[in-house]
Amino acid sequence: MVARTALSETALRAENPSARGAALSISDVSHCFDLEGRSLPVLERIRLHLAAGEFVAILGPSGCGKSTLLRLVAGLDPPAIGRLAMNGQAIEGPDASRIIVFQDPTLYPWRTVWSNVALGLEARGLLRSHRERVDDALRLVGLDGFATAYPRQLSGGMSQRAALARALVNDPKLLILDEPLGQLDSLTRIAMQQELVSLWQRAGFTALLVTHDVEEAVYLASRVIVLSQRPARIIAEVANVRPYPRHRGDPHLVELRREIMGHLGLAEAW
Amino acid sequence: MTVAINSATKGVGPSMTALDGHQRSMRAPWIIGAPAAAWMGAALLTVLWPDHGGTDWDYTGSLAAAFAALGAVLACAVLVDHWFACLPRLHQVAPWMLALALLLGGWEAITAKLGLLPLPFFPPPQALLEVVIDDRTRLVEGVLASLRLLAAGYCLGAALGFAVGVAMGWSRAVGYWIQPILRLVGPLPATAWLPLAFFMFPSSYSASTFLIALATGFPVTVLTWSGVASVSKAYYDIARTLGGTQRFLILKVTLPAAMPHVFVGLFMGLGNSFAVLVVAEMLGVKSGLGWYLQWAQGWAAYANMYAALLIMALIFSGLITLLFRVRDRLLAWQKGLVRW
């Protein structure tokens, strides 16, 4: 898969060759939900900066507000307090340069895999002139044989690949990953983690990953952010400077993993 | 992965039935032979057995010829099937062909031949044939008039219902104002409006169009609305992050996602529209199959009524089949639903 994507990678970025990842800044963002008139705080003064091309993972206990943070970054919801900006420009709504990949692939069941991947280009009126990018994106995730299949015919891993292709076809500057591998079996998951790293290295986007898998965070990210229980605050930031490609058995990564478990209050479980 | 997709795309259904039909045809030529013989038997019964009590039906010979022709076609099919083995569909309908031959033969025997049932209430099959042939102009006119009225009312009702349903699902304000009206007026059968409608509209034709549209529109509106309302929010999130405009969201997300619901509404509306069509034609419009039924009753022409009912059944059933075909084509992504 790696070998045959060398060509498509250039095609995917042909629109703007200088486009690499975007910088993201989250400045003192707090957010709350309205639950039957009561205000439920979910995020508390989150301050985080991502350099262009960085791969940052966010870890935290389930239900702490990680996904909410990603929705704010994607521009799907506005923050209650604080400011989010990409490359210095305030985030005021969804934009095709920031694509979010959800835990559930959420492919449209009435469209073929090809049309699902083509969705972003179609929405922006670029499909007619950039049809080959859809084929490239499908090849990139190894689904080129399944262009005419319907989502219900795909396995879980294939669906998630299709969702990834649907994001990558837009050549995002920031890829927002909301536990994208959470529902996959462990073998598919490991294979997809490797692919994610190589995609990120080749396409050069900035990646913001939410996960609850410490090993995944340590294996993928160059920096790991640990959040507290709801309302989520940043309680630790762990830099991970090991070069890519990484190996799961690397003692340095194992050590990092132990440290992060400690931040999550699970030191004795390790 | 490859295995999963293969079994899903190719499917095992069609190839299995083709194989079945092939094997059966090799084994048993009587599957088609029996109905062929039965139709021949019905033809002989019709032509050789003299009619009861001196009544002389004009079309006895034609009926026998029609039976015999069908029998001959089936007999040829037996040969074709035996030598070339390629008629699996015929194998599937063969039992019904046999049952129909027995039914028509039996009907012929107890009416025309034995005179067991009182006339004119229970005419023999040749009487229906006589009506279809001799009164064909009036029947064709009736069919065309009914179809025209039905098409106008149904299309109008379906289009309006769809538009209102989408608007209700999309806009909270529209939903707020339309929903109570729909709740109050919707359950009224459209036929209850009949006296008022004939009074208020300039012609009985326009009144009937309105009533059919009303009968169609209610279920289409309600189901389109519920379809639009039940579209997963995640679908919209996806389209929004990919740069979709409001227009794109409606056309490319809402409508296709709501389509399965819309079709349920269209089916219910079609059933309703048949009922209103027939009643409207009986009570006001001076044309169409409903009017023909009423007119035939005035003359105590029972054979005409049976013929009209039969034609009506064929047309309505055909229309429902047509709608199923359209749905299957549009919703090919959705498999394993109710089959017609």
Side-chain angles (χ1 to χ4, degrees), chain A residues 155-168:
Chain A
S155 69
M158 290 161 83
S159 297
Q160 199 53 270
R161 279 159 202 267
L164 207 55
R166 182 180 58 190
L168 292 173

Side-chain angles (χ1 to χ4, degrees), chain B residues 196-221:
Chain B
L196 262 181
F198 281 139
F199 172 70
M200 289 195 299
F201 279 82
S203 66
S204 59
Y205 180 81
S206 53
S208 308
T209 310
F210 164 75
L211 290 176
I212 294 171
L214 195 66
T216 309
F218 176 61
V220 174
T221 306

Side-chain angles (χ1 to χ4, degrees), chain B residues 150-209:
Chain B
L150 186 70
Y154 184 76
C155 294
L156 188 69
L160 282 178
F162 181 70
V164 173
V166 171
M168 284 176 77
W170 193 255
S171 150
R172 196 164 294 200
V174 176
Y176 175 83
W177 288 107
I178 303 280
Q179 196 203 342
I181 302 177
L182 218 55
R183 280 187 115 160
L184 183 70
V185 179
L188 264 185
T191 42
W193 292 95
L194 212 106
L196 262 181
F198 281 139
F199 172 70
M200 289 195 299
F201 279 82
S203 66
S204 59
Y205 180 81
S206 53
S208 308
T209 310

